[in-house]
Amino acid sequence: MPGSLTQAQTQNYYRNPDKIYLDSKSGHNGNFSWQMYKADEIKDPAEKISRPGYQSGEWMPAIVPGTVLNSLVHNKVYPEPYYGLNNKLDKDIIPDLAKVGREFYTYWFRTEFNIPESYKDKIVWLQVDGINYRAEIWVNGQLLSCMSGMFRQDYINITDYAQVGKANALAIKVYPVDVPGTIKPKRWGAVGEFHNGGDGNIGLNTTMLMSVGWDFTFNDGIRDRNTGIWKNISLYATDKAVLRNPFIKSDLAKPGYDLSRQTVSVEVTNPTQQKVKCLVKGEIVGENISFSKEIEMFRGERKEVTFTADEFPQLIIKNPRLWWPLFKGKPELYELKMTALVDGKISDEVKTRFGIREITSDQNTPDQSRQFYVNGKKVFIRGTNWIPEGMLRTSDERTYAELRYTKQSGINLIRMWGGGIAESDYFFQLCDEMGFLVWQEFWMTGDTKHPHDADLYLSNVEATVKRLRNHPSLAYYVSSNESTEMPGAKDLIMKLDGTRGYQMQSECDGVHDGSPYKQVNPMQHYENTASERGSRVDGFNPEYGAPTIPTVETLREVMDEKDLWPINKEVW
C-alpha cells in the first residue's frame, strides 16, 4: 500500500535506551537467561532462591516476557495447544487450572544480572510492567514487592540491596488468578446464542477474561489462564528526584484549529530520606518551547507539577501540525522531554510523544447512531475488533505485521475489546504513526461477573490510563463490553484524562447490538435487521462481521494432513 510504513522506519520509541531490559528474548540490551521451576516442588526458602549463585541446575529455561504455559510448551512438557485436539479438556493432555488447583501453575522465575558501575551512588530502580496475576518479587534475598492484577506497573527501589558492579539475583514467584472459572456454561446470557465466558467466574479477577470459555479462542480454555511475567522488566538509575507519567493536553481554538494551548503535567517523587529542592524543566523538542519550575519535596513526597499556557505563554502554538487519522491527513507527532535537576545536575529525564488533535463524537444523526469527528472533520468509521493471541505469544515483529495488514485492509479504527488486554506501548506507538483511532475497553464483559476487588480493578485502570493517555491514536474510553461499569470508573478516567469521550459499555449511547454470531444468508448483510435478535447493520455497530475462510497453509499448521480431507469435523 503506498505510504505504508516498513518496520525499519518505525522507531522503538517506547524502549528507553538508558534502561537495561531483562528479557529472555534477544535483541533488547542483550539476552538474559531466565529459568523457572514449579513452586511446590522447591524446598529451599525464597531468601536462598533469590541470591546470586543459587544452584538451579534442574530448572528449565523460561520465556520472559511470556507465560508459564509458553515455557512448558517451549520445553516440550506439553504439546502445542493450538494443534489438532491437544487442547480438548476430555483428552486430558494439558492440565487445566480449574481442575488441578492454583499450586500446579504457581512457579518461580529467576535470573541473574550485573548492575553497571555507572549506577554507583545513584538510586537503582526495577520496573515491572505486568505480571498475571499475583507475584512476590525478591532481589538478593529480600522480598521487595507484591503485585496484583494483570495491568499495573510497579517501580521498585532496590538501591539498599543492589550490588553495583557485581552479580545480582531476581526471583519472582508468580501465582495464577484467584478464581480460574470453568467452561461450564452459565444459565444466564444472550438467548439462543453460545454463552461465552464459561461459568462467568473468570470476571472476578482483573485479568484477560477470554482465557476461558470463549468459542473464538479455545472453547476449552487456556490452561494456565496466562499465568506469568507477560510484560517487560527493566533496570535503570536516577538521582534524588524521579519523574513519571508526563501528560500533555492540547486545547485547540475553533473553528479554525489554528491555535493550540498546551497544559503539561508530570509526577515528581523524592525517594530519599531528606528534603530535596528540584528544578523541573520541560521542552517541546525542535519547537523552541521550554518552561521550568522550582519545587521542594519532603522525604518520600510525590507532587504533580503542572505548567499551563496562562503561566507560560510559550505553550501556545500557532498553526500547529495536526495529527490526522488514516485517509484524512498526516499523523503529525511532537516530542515532550521533561528533566529533573538537583544541584544543577540531571537527576532524571523522561520523554513522550504526543499529537495535537481534537476527537469528539455525537449522536446528531437521524437514528441517534454515534458519529466521530477529528479536528472538526467527520470521520467515516471502518472498524475492527482486536483480541490478543490466546497465549500472549507476541513480539514487536508480530505486532508490526498485524497492524500493517490492518492498515492495508482499509480499517481506520481498532476496538480493544473488553475481554482482551491493554495492548503494549509499541502497539500504540505504531497506531500513532500509522494513523489508527483506538477504542479502549477495560476488562469487563456482560458474559462474566464483575471483579471482586474494586480497588484492585481501579488501580489497574489508573495505571493503564496514565500509560496510554498521551497517544493521539487513543480516541475513546469504554468501561465494558455489553455490561455496566465499575462504580467510580468514569470519575477516575475523567480525572486522569478528560480529553476523550467515554461511555459505560459497548452497546449504548448510539452504538448498536453486534450480532449475529453465526453464519446467516449473505443477503441478510444488506438488510437493516441482521439477526433474529433485531441487531442493526446500519449505524454504528461494534461487532458485526462475516465468516472468513483460512488458507490451506494455515490449516496445515494446526492439524494433521489426514484431518484436512475428508474433513475431520471434530478437529475443524
Side-chain angles (χ1 to χ4, degrees), residues 67-91:
T67 67
V68 169
L69 191 55
N70 289 173
S71 294
L72 293 174
V73 171
H74 173 75
N75 286 289
K76 302 189 185 306
V77 176
Y78 300 118
E80 167 56 50
Y82 279 126
Y83 196 87
L85 299 175
N86 289 343
N87 202 62
K88 293 295 291 181
L89 276 172
D90 56 15
K91 300 297 181 184

PDB file of all heavy atoms in Angstrom, residues 67-91:
ATOM      1  N   THR A  67       4.466 -16.640  29.446  1.00  0.00           N
ATOM      2  CA  THR A  67       3.633 -17.245  30.474  1.00  0.00           C
ATOM      3  C   THR A  67       4.197 -18.609  30.845  1.00  0.00           C
ATOM      4  O   THR A  67       5.081 -19.147  30.161  1.00  0.00           O
ATOM      5  CB  THR A  67       2.178 -17.418  29.995  1.00  0.00           C
ATOM      6  OG1 THR A  67       2.139 -18.392  28.947  1.00  0.00           O
ATOM      7  CG2 THR A  67       1.603 -16.098  29.492  1.00  0.00           C
ATOM      8  N   VAL A  68       3.674 -19.167  31.936  1.00  0.00           N
ATOM      9  CA  VAL A  68       4.092 -20.496  32.362  1.00  0.00           C
ATOM     10  C   VAL A  68       3.867 -21.502  31.237  1.00  0.00           C
ATOM     11  O   VAL A  68       4.751 -22.291  30.888  1.00  0.00           O
ATOM     12  CB  VAL A  68       3.334 -20.912  33.637  1.00  0.00           C
ATOM     13  CG1 VAL A  68       3.559 -22.392  33.936  1.00  0.00           C
ATOM     14  CG2 VAL A  68       3.769 -20.061  34.828  1.00  0.00           C
ATOM     15  N   LEU A  69       2.672 -21.468  30.633  1.00  0.00           N
ATOM     16  CA  LEU A  69       2.371 -22.434  29.578  1.00  0.00           C
ATOM     17  C   LEU A  69       3.236 -22.206  28.342  1.00  0.00           C
ATOM     18  O   LEU A  69       3.623 -23.172  27.669  1.00  0.00           O
ATOM     19  CB  LEU A  69       0.881 -22.376  29.221  1.00  0.00           C
ATOM     20  CG  LEU A  69       0.367 -23.502  28.311  1.00  0.00           C
ATOM     21  CD1 LEU A  69       0.683 -24.879  28.893  1.00  0.00           C
ATOM     22  CD2 LEU A  69      -1.132 -23.369  28.065  1.00  0.00           C
ATOM     23  N   ASN A  70       3.565 -20.948  28.016  1.00  0.00           N
ATOM     24  CA  ASN A  70       4.520 -20.686  26.931  1.00  0.00           C
ATOM     25  C   ASN A  70       5.783 -21.493  27.137  1.00  0.00           C
ATOM     26  O   ASN A  70       6.277 -22.181  26.233  1.00  0.00           O
ATOM     27  CB  ASN A  70       4.933 -19.211  26.893  1.00  0.00           C
ATOM     28  CG  ASN A  70       3.857 -18.256  26.429  1.00  0.00           C
ATOM     29  OD1 ASN A  70       4.058 -17.059  26.494  1.00  0.00           O
ATOM     30  ND2 ASN A  70       2.725 -18.753  25.994  1.00  0.00           N
ATOM     31  N   SER A  71       6.343 -21.396  28.363  1.00  0.00           N
ATOM     32  CA  SER A  71       7.615 -22.057  28.660  1.00  0.00           C
ATOM     33  C   SER A  71       7.468 -23.574  28.702  1.00  0.00           C
ATOM     34  O   SER A  71       8.364 -24.305  28.251  1.00  0.00           O
ATOM     35  CB  SER A  71       8.180 -21.536  29.988  1.00  0.00           C
ATOM     36  OG  SER A  71       8.531 -20.169  29.886  1.00  0.00           O
ATOM     37  N   LEU A  72       6.362 -24.069  29.235  1.00  0.00           N
ATOM     38  CA  LEU A  72       6.162 -25.520  29.301  1.00  0.00           C
ATOM     39  C   LEU A  72       6.028 -26.119  27.899  1.00  0.00           C
ATOM     40  O   LEU A  72       6.548 -27.204  27.626  1.00  0.00           O
ATOM     41  CB  LEU A  72       4.932 -25.837  30.144  1.00  0.00           C
ATOM     42  CG  LEU A  72       5.039 -25.513  31.643  1.00  0.00           C
ATOM     43  CD1 LEU A  72       3.699 -25.748  32.334  1.00  0.00           C
ATOM     44  CD2 LEU A  72       6.135 -26.344  32.312  1.00  0.00           C
ATOM     45  N   VAL A  73       5.343 -25.414  27.010  1.00  0.00           N
ATOM     46  CA  VAL A  73       5.236 -25.877  25.628  1.00  0.00           C
ATOM     47  C   VAL A  73       6.592 -25.779  24.940  1.00  0.00           C
ATOM     48  O   VAL A  73       7.010 -26.690  24.212  1.00  0.00           O
ATOM     49  CB  VAL A  73       4.155 -25.075  24.869  1.00  0.00           C
ATOM     50  CG1 VAL A  73       4.182 -25.400  23.368  1.00  0.00           C
ATOM     51  CG2 VAL A  73       2.772 -25.376  25.444  1.00  0.00           C
ATOM     52  N   HIS A  74       7.313 -24.678  25.179  1.00  0.00           N
ATOM     53  CA  HIS A  74       8.647 -24.498  24.595  1.00  0.00           C
ATOM     54  C   HIS A  74       9.590 -25.622  25.010  1.00  0.00           C
ATOM     55  O   HIS A  74      10.402 -26.103  24.208  1.00  0.00           O
ATOM     56  CB  HIS A  74       9.219 -23.146  25.024  1.00  0.00           C
ATOM     57  CG  HIS A  74      10.646 -22.924  24.612  1.00  0.00           C
ATOM     58  ND1 HIS A  74      11.009 -22.623  23.318  1.00  0.00           N
ATOM     59  CD2 HIS A  74      11.807 -22.980  25.331  1.00  0.00           C
ATOM     60  CE1 HIS A  74      12.316 -22.494  23.256  1.00  0.00           C
ATOM     61  NE2 HIS A  74      12.830 -22.700  24.454  1.00  0.00           N
ATOM     62  N   ASN A  75       9.469 -26.054  26.259  1.00  0.00           N
ATOM     63  CA  ASN A  75      10.327 -27.133  26.779  1.00  0.00           C
ATOM     64  C   ASN A  75       9.746 -28.525  26.524  1.00  0.00           C
ATOM     65  O   ASN A  75      10.266 -29.523  27.052  1.00  0.00           O
ATOM     66  CB  ASN A  75      10.541 -26.925  28.280  1.00  0.00           C
ATOM     67  CG  ASN A  75      11.498 -25.782  28.577  1.00  0.00           C
ATOM     68  OD1 ASN A  75      12.690 -25.884  28.348  1.00  0.00           O
ATOM     69  ND2 ASN A  75      10.960 -24.658  29.074  1.00  0.00           N
ATOM     70  N   LYS A  76       8.663 -28.592  25.738  1.00  0.00           N
ATOM     71  CA  LYS A  76       8.037 -29.849  25.323  1.00  0.00           C
ATOM     72  C   LYS A  76       7.503 -30.673  26.491  1.00  0.00           C
ATOM     73  O   LYS A  76       7.387 -31.905  26.402  1.00  0.00           O
ATOM     74  CB  LYS A  76       9.004 -30.677  24.465  1.00  0.00           C
ATOM     75  CG  LYS A  76       9.482 -29.932  23.223  1.00  0.00           C
ATOM     76  CD  LYS A  76      10.256 -30.824  22.282  1.00  0.00           C
ATOM     77  CE  LYS A  76      10.829 -30.018  21.120  1.00  0.00           C
ATOM     78  NZ  LYS A  76       9.831 -29.214  20.390  1.00  0.00           N
ATOM     79  N   VAL A  77       7.186 -29.994  27.600  1.00  0.00           N
ATOM     80  CA  VAL A  77       6.479 -30.671  28.684  1.00  0.00           C
ATOM     81  C   VAL A  77       5.065 -31.000  28.225  1.00  0.00           C
ATOM     82  O   VAL A  77       4.532 -32.078  28.526  1.00  0.00           O
ATOM     83  CB  VAL A  77       6.463 -29.797  29.954  1.00  0.00           C
ATOM     84  CG1 VAL A  77       5.643 -30.456  31.060  1.00  0.00           C
ATOM     85  CG2 VAL A  77       7.887 -29.515  30.434  1.00  0.00           C
ATOM     86  N   TYR A  78       4.452 -30.051  27.489  1.00  0.00           N
ATOM     87  CA  TYR A  78       3.142 -30.262  26.902  1.00  0.00           C
ATOM     88  C   TYR A  78       3.202 -29.908  25.423  1.00  0.00           C
ATOM     89  O   TYR A  78       4.026 -29.080  25.004  1.00  0.00           O
ATOM     90  CB  TYR A  78       2.078 -29.404  27.604  1.00  0.00           C
ATOM     91  CG  TYR A  78       1.947 -29.698  29.080  1.00  0.00           C
ATOM     92  CD1 TYR A  78       2.203 -28.718  30.026  1.00  0.00           C
ATOM     93  CD2 TYR A  78       1.585 -30.969  29.525  1.00  0.00           C
ATOM     94  CE1 TYR A  78       2.110 -28.992  31.384  1.00  0.00           C
ATOM     95  CE2 TYR A  78       1.491 -31.253  30.875  1.00  0.00           C
ATOM     96  CZ  TYR A  78       1.753 -30.261  31.801  1.00  0.00           C
ATOM     97  OH  TYR A  78       1.666 -30.544  33.135  1.00  0.00           O
ATOM     98  N   PRO A  79       2.337 -30.514  24.611  1.00  0.00           N
ATOM     99  CA  PRO A  79       2.355 -30.203  23.175  1.00  0.00           C
ATOM    100  C   PRO A  79       1.692 -28.861  22.883  1.00  0.00           C
ATOM    101  O   PRO A  79       1.057 -28.260  23.750  1.00  0.00           O
ATOM    102  CB  PRO A  79       1.544 -31.361  22.578  1.00  0.00           C
ATOM    103  CG  PRO A  79       0.583 -31.735  23.665  1.00  0.00           C
ATOM    104  CD  PRO A  79       1.336 -31.532  24.959  1.00  0.00           C
ATOM    105  N   GLU A  80       1.837 -28.424  21.663  1.00  0.00           N
ATOM    106  CA  GLU A  80       1.244 -27.168  21.210  1.00  0.00           C
ATOM    107  C   GLU A  80      -0.287 -27.230  21.350  1.00  0.00           C
ATOM    108  O   GLU A  80      -0.955 -28.054  20.716  1.00  0.00           O
ATOM    109  CB  GLU A  80       1.626 -26.918  19.755  1.00  0.00           C
ATOM    110  CG  GLU A  80       0.849 -25.827  19.047  1.00  0.00           C
ATOM    111  CD  GLU A  80       0.921 -24.494  19.759  1.00  0.00           C
ATOM    112  OE1 GLU A  80       2.036 -24.048  20.088  1.00  0.00           O
ATOM    113  OE2 GLU A  80      -0.154 -23.897  20.001  1.00  0.00           O
ATOM    114  N   PRO A  81      -0.881 -26.365  22.181  1.00  0.00           N
ATOM    115  CA  PRO A  81      -2.340 -26.424  22.384  1.00  0.00           C
ATOM    116  C   PRO A  81      -3.137 -26.144  21.122  1.00  0.00           C
ATOM    117  O   PRO A  81      -4.241 -26.681  20.957  1.00  0.00           O
ATOM    118  CB  PRO A  81      -2.592 -25.352  23.454  1.00  0.00           C
ATOM    119  CG  PRO A  81      -1.284 -25.172  24.138  1.00  0.00           C
ATOM    120  CD  PRO A  81      -0.249 -25.393  23.085  1.00  0.00           C
ATOM    121  N   TYR A  82      -2.615 -25.328  20.227  1.00  0.00           N
ATOM    122  CA  TYR A  82      -3.364 -24.963  19.036  1.00  0.00           C
ATOM    123  C   TYR A  82      -3.437 -26.095  18.011  1.00  0.00           C
ATOM    124  O   TYR A  82      -4.117 -25.965  17.003  1.00  0.00           O
ATOM    125  CB  TYR A  82      -2.730 -23.746  18.359  1.00  0.00           C
ATOM    126  CG  TYR A  82      -3.094 -22.417  18.955  1.00  0.00           C
ATOM    127  CD1 TYR A  82      -2.114 -21.515  19.354  1.00  0.00           C
ATOM    128  CD2 TYR A  82      -4.414 -22.037  19.097  1.00  0.00           C
ATOM    129  CE1 TYR A  82      -2.444 -20.282  19.891  1.00  0.00           C
ATOM    130  CE2 TYR A  82      -4.763 -20.806  19.626  1.00  0.00           C
ATOM    131  CZ  TYR A  82      -3.762 -19.936  20.016  1.00  0.00           C
ATOM    132  OH  TYR A  82      -4.098 -18.710  20.548  1.00  0.00           O
ATOM    133  N   TYR A  83      -2.701 -27.169  18.218  1.00  0.00           N
ATOM    134  CA  TYR A  83      -2.609 -28.202  17.194  1.00  0.00           C
ATOM    135  C   TYR A  83      -3.612 -29.324  17.450  1.00  0.00           C
ATOM    136  O   TYR A  83      -3.692 -29.873  18.554  1.00  0.00           O
ATOM    137  CB  TYR A  83      -1.196 -28.788  17.156  1.00  0.00           C
ATOM    138  CG  TYR A  83      -0.927 -29.572  15.897  1.00  0.00           C
ATOM    139  CD1 TYR A  83      -0.470 -28.939  14.749  1.00  0.00           C
ATOM    140  CD2 TYR A  83      -1.161 -30.940  15.847  1.00  0.00           C
ATOM    141  CE1 TYR A  83      -0.244 -29.642  13.580  1.00  0.00           C
ATOM    142  CE2 TYR A  83      -0.932 -31.659  14.693  1.00  0.00           C
ATOM    143  CZ  TYR A  83      -0.473 -31.005  13.552  1.00  0.00           C
ATOM    144  OH  TYR A  83      -0.263 -31.705  12.393  1.00  0.00           O
ATOM    145  N   GLY A  84      -4.363 -29.681  16.405  1.00  0.00           N
ATOM    146  CA  GLY A  84      -5.275 -30.814  16.473  1.00  0.00           C
ATOM    147  C   GLY A  84      -6.228 -30.729  17.649  1.00  0.00           C
ATOM    148  O   GLY A  84      -6.892 -29.712  17.876  1.00  0.00           O
ATOM    149  N   LEU A  85      -6.306 -31.803  18.418  1.00  0.00           N
ATOM    150  CA  LEU A  85      -7.208 -31.890  19.569  1.00  0.00           C
ATOM    151  C   LEU A  85      -6.458 -31.784  20.891  1.00  0.00           C
ATOM    152  O   LEU A  85      -6.992 -32.133  21.945  1.00  0.00           O
ATOM    153  CB  LEU A  85      -7.984 -33.216  19.520  1.00  0.00           C
ATOM    154  CG  LEU A  85      -8.870 -33.425  18.290  1.00  0.00           C
ATOM    155  CD1 LEU A  85      -9.486 -34.814  18.316  1.00  0.00           C
ATOM    156  CD2 LEU A  85      -9.958 -32.362  18.210  1.00  0.00           C
ATOM    157  N   ASN A  86      -5.226 -31.264  20.848  1.00  0.00           N
ATOM    158  CA  ASN A  86      -4.391 -31.224  22.056  1.00  0.00           C
ATOM    159  C   ASN A  86      -5.052 -30.491  23.212  1.00  0.00           C
ATOM    160  O   ASN A  86      -4.823 -30.802  24.377  1.00  0.00           O
ATOM    161  CB  ASN A  86      -3.039 -30.577  21.762  1.00  0.00           C
ATOM    162  CG  ASN A  86      -2.145 -31.448  20.921  1.00  0.00           C
ATOM    163  OD1 ASN A  86      -2.378 -32.646  20.803  1.00  0.00           O
ATOM    164  ND2 ASN A  86      -1.129 -30.857  20.314  1.00  0.00           N
ATOM    165  N   ASN A  87      -5.864 -29.483  22.895  1.00  0.00           N
ATOM    166  CA  ASN A  87      -6.413 -28.648  23.967  1.00  0.00           C
ATOM    167  C   ASN A  87      -7.795 -29.085  24.448  1.00  0.00           C
ATOM    168  O   ASN A  87      -8.365 -28.456  25.323  1.00  0.00           O
ATOM    169  CB  ASN A  87      -6.484 -27.183  23.510  1.00  0.00           C
ATOM    170  CG  ASN A  87      -6.517 -26.230  24.682  1.00  0.00           C
ATOM    171  OD1 ASN A  87      -5.582 -26.184  25.472  1.00  0.00           O
ATOM    172  ND2 ASN A  87      -7.594 -25.484  24.822  1.00  0.00           N
ATOM    173  N   LYS A  88      -8.327 -30.162  23.896  1.00  0.00           N
ATOM    174  CA  LYS A  88      -9.640 -30.618  24.350  1.00  0.00           C
ATOM    175  C   LYS A  88      -9.554 -31.113  25.795  1.00  0.00           C
ATOM    176  O   LYS A  88      -8.694 -31.922  26.143  1.00  0.00           O
ATOM    177  CB  LYS A  88     -10.146 -31.751  23.455  1.00  0.00           C
ATOM    178  CG  LYS A  88     -10.450 -31.324  22.024  1.00  0.00           C
ATOM    179  CD  LYS A  88     -11.595 -30.337  21.944  1.00  0.00           C
ATOM    180  CE  LYS A  88     -12.917 -30.988  22.293  1.00  0.00           C
ATOM    181  NZ  LYS A  88     -14.051 -30.036  22.205  1.00  0.00           N
ATOM    182  N   LEU A  89     -10.439 -30.598  26.626  1.00  0.00           N
ATOM    183  CA  LEU A  89     -10.435 -30.994  28.040  1.00  0.00           C
ATOM    184  C   LEU A  89     -10.593 -32.500  28.208  1.00  0.00           C
ATOM    185  O   LEU A  89      -9.944 -33.114  29.055  1.00  0.00           O
ATOM    186  CB  LEU A  89     -11.553 -30.268  28.785  1.00  0.00           C
ATOM    187  CG  LEU A  89     -11.252 -28.858  29.288  1.00  0.00           C
ATOM    188  CD1 LEU A  89     -12.525 -28.227  29.830  1.00  0.00           C
ATOM    189  CD2 LEU A  89     -10.173 -28.857  30.357  1.00  0.00           C
ATOM    190  N   ASP A  90     -11.444 -33.102  27.390  1.00  0.00           N
ATOM    191  CA  ASP A  90     -11.688 -34.533  27.569  1.00  0.00           C
ATOM    192  C   ASP A  90     -10.516 -35.394  27.115  1.00  0.00           C
ATOM    193  O   ASP A  90     -10.476 -36.591  27.405  1.00  0.00           O
ATOM    194  CB  ASP A  90     -12.983 -34.955  26.862  1.00  0.00           C
ATOM    195  CG  ASP A  90     -13.004 -34.604  25.389  1.00  0.00           C
ATOM    196  OD1 ASP A  90     -11.933 -34.296  24.828  1.00  0.00           O
ATOM    197  OD2 ASP A  90     -14.091 -34.636  24.784  1.00  0.00           O
ATOM    198  N   LYS A  91      -9.536 -34.813  26.411  1.00  0.00           N
ATOM    199  CA  LYS A  91      -8.324 -35.553  26.065  1.00  0.00           C
ATOM    200  C   LYS A  91      -7.352 -35.616  27.237  1.00  0.00           C
ATOM    201  O   LYS A  91      -6.470 -36.472  27.283  1.00  0.00           O
ATOM    202  CB  LYS A  91      -7.632 -34.913  24.850  1.00  0.00           C
ATOM    203  CG  LYS A  91      -8.487 -34.862  23.594  1.00  0.00           C
ATOM    204  CD  LYS A  91      -8.845 -36.240  23.090  1.00  0.00           C
ATOM    205  CE  LYS A  91      -9.683 -36.164  21.826  1.00  0.00           C
ATOM    206  NZ  LYS A  91     -10.123 -37.492  21.349  1.00  0.00           N
TER     207      LYS A  91
END
